[in-house]
Amino acid sequence: MDEQVFTRYNIAADNLIAHTCRYLIGFMSIVEIASLLHIFVINQRVMGWMTVLSCLGFALPTILFSVFKRHTNLTRYLVLFVLALTPGVLYSFLSYHVILMFILPVLIACLYNERKFAIYTTVISLPIIVLSHFVAFYLHIVPDEPLTTLHGVLFYGILPRTLEFLACSLFCIQASGKTRRLIREILDHLHRQEQQRKNLQEIINFSSQMVACTDYKNLLKLS
């Protein structure tokens, strides 16, 4: 019974993730329009390609979950990997403009309320964060002071941002585990209540039968 409930819950989480990513596609479209209006000082060609790539990544949950109905753990791991890779690709070309997006995949993984998904997303995000910083340093499309030297990238970029990411991720992991346990405790409580109701109903039925038998014996004595 519990597994059926959690299966339905994960399917609902799949659909919610797909819905959330569609909002992110809209957000990236707004960013692209703002870039075209020169609100952001970013190379127009680079920004255009990054918008297309990010929208493709954010469209994957809708394609797999909503269109093809692929509600399996393997599909969820694939979606989370792509969502974790997307901020890395964006950072490689847009640098500090998208720094907050690194934590986004972990927050999305929390929608499943299972520690394994949050842990998985955290683990794969760490090397992506490191590699994207080196790629951004090599490409040097958007200069980010003081990350203009290898020393700066390591000690002012990768180290503090990785620690901040880990702090937020550990909180997300703990929150996912506690929520999952709370749901399981609620289900166990409901099952105990249902069992108590059945036991009480059996007692009532048995008592009714005993009363009926006693009344029948009294009628036989009177006759």
Side-chain angles (χ1 to χ4, degrees):
M1 182 64 179
D2 288 356
E3 293 304 320
Q4 294 178 354
V5 172
F6 285 125
T7 298
R8 292 197 299 270
Y9 183 92
N10 285 339
I11 292 175
D14 291 339
N15 295 328
L16 179 59
I17 289 173
H19 188 70
T20 301
C21 287
R22 288 195 290 272
Y23 278 116
L24 292 175
I25 292 174
F27 171 77
M28 290 304 299
S29 301
I30 294 173
V31 171
E32 173 62 18
I33 293 173
S35 176
L36 292 174
L37 296 175
H38 302 287
I39 295 176
F40 300 123
V41 185
I42 303 175
N43 183 284
Q44 297 293 325
R45 186 184 298 275
V46 172
M47 189 64 212
W49 277 109
M50 291 302 99
T51 300
V52 172
L53 289 175
S54 62
C55 287
L56 289 175
F58 293 141
L60 185 63
T62 298
I63 295 172
L64 294 179
F65 295 144
S66 302
V67 178
F68 291 103
K69 308 296 182 182
R70 300 292 298 175
H71 299 288
T72 65
N73 280 343
L74 181 61
T75 306
R76 293 175 185 121
Y77 285 126
L78 174 61
V79 166
L80 291 175
F81 174 77
V82 173
L83 292 180
L85 184 63
T86 300
V89 174
L90 292 177
Y91 183 86
S92 298
F93 291 88
L94 303 179
S95 187
Y96 59 88
H97 291 291
V98 295
I99 189 65
L100 290 179
M101 291 188 69
F102 279 119
I103 196 61
L104 182 62
V106 181
L107 295 175
I108 290 176
C110 287
L111 294 176
Y112 290 112
N113 286 319
E114 284 194 73
R115 286 167 56 92
K116 64 180 181 181
F117 290 116
I119 292 173
Y120 166 79
T121 309
T122 299
V123 170
I124 63 174
S125 294
L126 287 172
I128 291 174
I129 292 174
V130 174
L131 290 174
S132 63
H133 275 75
F134 284 121
V135 174
F137 170 72
Y138 176 76
L139 296 176
H140 203 65
I141 295 175
V142 180
D144 185 8
E145 295 287 347
L147 311 185
T148 54
T149 65
L150 188 60
H151 179 274
V153 171
L154 289 172
F155 292 98
Y156 301 116
I158 293 175
L159 183 59
R161 291 171 180 176
T162 300
L163 292 175
E164 292 169 0
F165 173 80
L166 280 174
C168 295
S169 296
L170 289 175
F171 173 79
C172 293
I173 291 170
Q174 291 299 320
S176 296
K178 287 184 179 297
T179 305
R180 192 72 168 189
R181 287 194 296 272
L182 177 61
I183 295 173
R184 193 174 293 279
E185 288 175 1
I186 292 173
L187 290 175
D188 291 340
H189 178 69
L190 293 175
H191 290 165
R192 287 194 298 270
Q193 282 191 328
E194 181 64 20
Q195 188 61 43
Q196 290 174 356
R197 188 192 66 79
K198 290 180 179 179
N199 292 338
L200 181 60
Q201 188 61 45
E202 290 177 358
I203 293 173
I204 293 173
N205 293 338
F206 181 75
S207 299
S208 300
Q209 292 175 1
M210 292 295 294
V211 170
C213 291
T214 302
D215 292 341
Y216 180 71
K217 290 179 181 179
N218 291 333
L219 286 173
L220 288 177
K221 290 181 180 179
L222 291 173
S223 61

